[in-house]
Amino acid sequence: KQEVTQIPAALSVPEGENLVLNCSFTDSAIYNLQWFRQDPGKGLTSLLLIQSSQREQTSGRLNASLDKSSGRSTLYIAASQPGDSATYLCAVRPRTGANNLFFGTGTRLTVIP
Amino acid sequence: NAGVTQTPKFRVLKTGQSMTLLCAQDMNHEYMYWYRQDPGMGLRLIHYSVGEGTTAKGEVPDGYNVSRLKKQNFLLGLESAAPSQTSVYFCASSTGHGAQIGYTFGSGTRLTVV
């Protein structure tokens, strides 16, 4: 069974700092990996999707990378802002039994003004 | 421009009561999913559907039933609620399962069973 781990579980940084969130997964046979943002009491907002054939995706201040062979992905946030405070979840879609996403438990980010 | 809409947003049930959670999507997506989110465990798939009239079990299906009578709607039922079903429930949809396909999520239903 695919297992997804996110480290650290929580992170607190001062405003303006660049930061990296980590995601690792145990089975490299994936269709894609998706990063989501979840605000307290809210649903999931998709940030970036990286297909298995891709190495990275960028959207504004966000950059996600994928190293499928080592089972790792990183989400880089540049020039962090208080509005970036949220929980960030990564999820992988495996190639086998592909009607499911396997989620990590998330990294709770706090950006201090 | 609604995307995925879940009703209700909050509900408190007594043990043994039944209820139905409704998920509606207006994106003409074929695939729909029900997840539950519990502290420290991440989201887990309950049931899913690959098209109108189809349903299948996910990772944690026990105690739940689903129906997909219309393409745009996916219903999750609890026949006899138990405290272990206290959770936040999320519905999601997607167009298929190619490598470029991502999921769109609703805003969730917070259910408490007392």
Side-chain angles (χ1 to χ4, degrees):
Chain A
K1 177 188 168 184
Q2 177 76 262
E3 292 187 5
V4 181
T5 303
Q6 291 186 247
I7 295 173
L11 180 64
S12 185
V13 301
E15 181 177 3
E17 193 164 296
N18 302 326
L19 60 101
V20 174
L21 307 180
N22 297 295
C23 173
S24 61
F25 48 95
T26 55
D27 188 345
S28 62
I30 63 171
Y31 270 123
N32 60 43
L33 182 144
Q34 200 165 355
W35 281 94
F36 294 90
R37 169 185 173 137
Q38 185 176 26
D39 293 285
K42 304 291 186 181
L44 281 68
T45 301
S46 180
L47 297 173
L48 290 165
L49 181 146
I50 311 177
Q51 298 179 46
S52 60
S53 59
Q54 298 173 329
R55 297 284 291 182
E56 65 179 317
Q57 283 287 326
T58 298
S59 175
R61 294 184 293 108
L62 305 180
N63 175 277
S65 68
L66 175 65
D67 184 343
K68 199 175 59 170
S69 61
S70 68
R72 294 173 188 263
S73 176
T74 61
L75 179 66
Y76 174 83
I77 302 177
S80 58
Q81 302 171 358
D84 295 330
S85 298
T87 296
Y88 291 80
L89 301 169
C90 73
V92 298
R93 191 164 196 175
R95 288 189 172 276
T96 57
N99 292 306
N100 194 9
L101 286 180
F102 287 90
F103 282 84
T105 52
T107 294
R108 188 173 71 253
L109 172 66
T110 302
V111 181
I112 303 166
Chain B
N1 201 19
V4 178
T5 302
Q6 292 183 232
T7 53
K9 295 191 184 305
F10 304 93
R11 185 73 184 268
V12 178
L13 283 181
K14 293 182 179 179
T15 298
Q17 286 185 321
S18 63
M19 78 163 294
T20 300
L21 283 66
L22 172 63
C23 176
Q25 53 95 1
D26 61 0
M27 298 171 287
N28 202 34
H29 284 175
E30 288 291 335
Y31 289 39
M32 296 186 75
Y33 314 82
W34 277 106
Y35 285 85
R36 61 178 288 173
Q37 184 178 36
D38 301 294
M41 299 194 71
L43 280 80
R44 293 178 292 167
L45 183 66
I46 305 171
H47 285 282
Y48 65 95
S49 168
V50 300
E52 182 178 314
T54 75
T55 62
K57 294 179 180 180
E59 186 182 356
V60 288
D62 294 342
Y64 305 95
N65 57 75
V66 288
S67 65
R68 182 104 181 264
L69 299 180
K70 294 183 179 181
K71 185 177 182 179
Q72 64 268 33
N73 295 336
F74 195 29
L75 278 62
L76 178 71
L78 287 73
E79 291 186 344
S80 180
S84 61
Q85 294 177 304
T86 294
S87 187
V88 181
Y89 292 86
F90 287 101
C91 177
S93 69
S94 71
T95 58
H97 66 107
Q100 75 283 11
I101 302 300
Y103 285 40
T104 301
F105 280 80
S107 58
T109 295
R110 186 173 296 273
L111 175 66
T112 302
V113 182
V114 297

